[in-house]
Amino acid sequence: MANHKSAIKRIRQTKTRTLHNKYYAKTMRNAVRKLRALSERAEAEKMYPMVQEMLDKLANKNIIHKNKAANIKSKLSQHISKMA
């Protein structure tokens, strides 16, 4: 266990930030799943900008890596373009 006040505070902060980051990462994953589950192209095109914005925000805040965000956006746009 930590012996310094600053180390104890750092542990508290890390727990809080981890919970916060997990929440937003999970929300993003759920949004991506919903978008992939859609069958109509019009609905998917309507939802895509919202998911794209969410991915960009998370990448800017270093919750997910910027390349991961780019890869997900690329895969989603390919998925939408293949829809009938």
Side-chain angles (χ1 to χ4, degrees), residues 53-79:
E53 184 181 337
M54 186 184 300
L55 287 164
D56 288 336
K57 282 183 182 178
L58 293 178
N60 284 337
K61 293 180 181 178
N62 291 321
I63 294 173
I64 61 171
H65 196 274
K66 64 178 183 170
N67 290 349
K68 181 183 176 84
N71 289 335
I72 293 172
K73 288 192 292 186
S74 173
K75 294 285 184 186
L76 287 175
S77 64
Q78 285 177 3
H79 177 72

Side-chain angles (χ1 to χ4, degrees), residues 34-48 79-84:
K34 282 181 186 175
L35 182 58
R36 284 199 177 121
L38 292 175
S39 56
E40 286 190 37
R41 186 177 183 153
E43 285 182 47
E45 285 176 344
K46 202 180 209 181
M47 190 178 178
Y48 180 67
H79 177 72
I80 291 170
S81 65
K82 288 180 183 177
M83 285 181 167

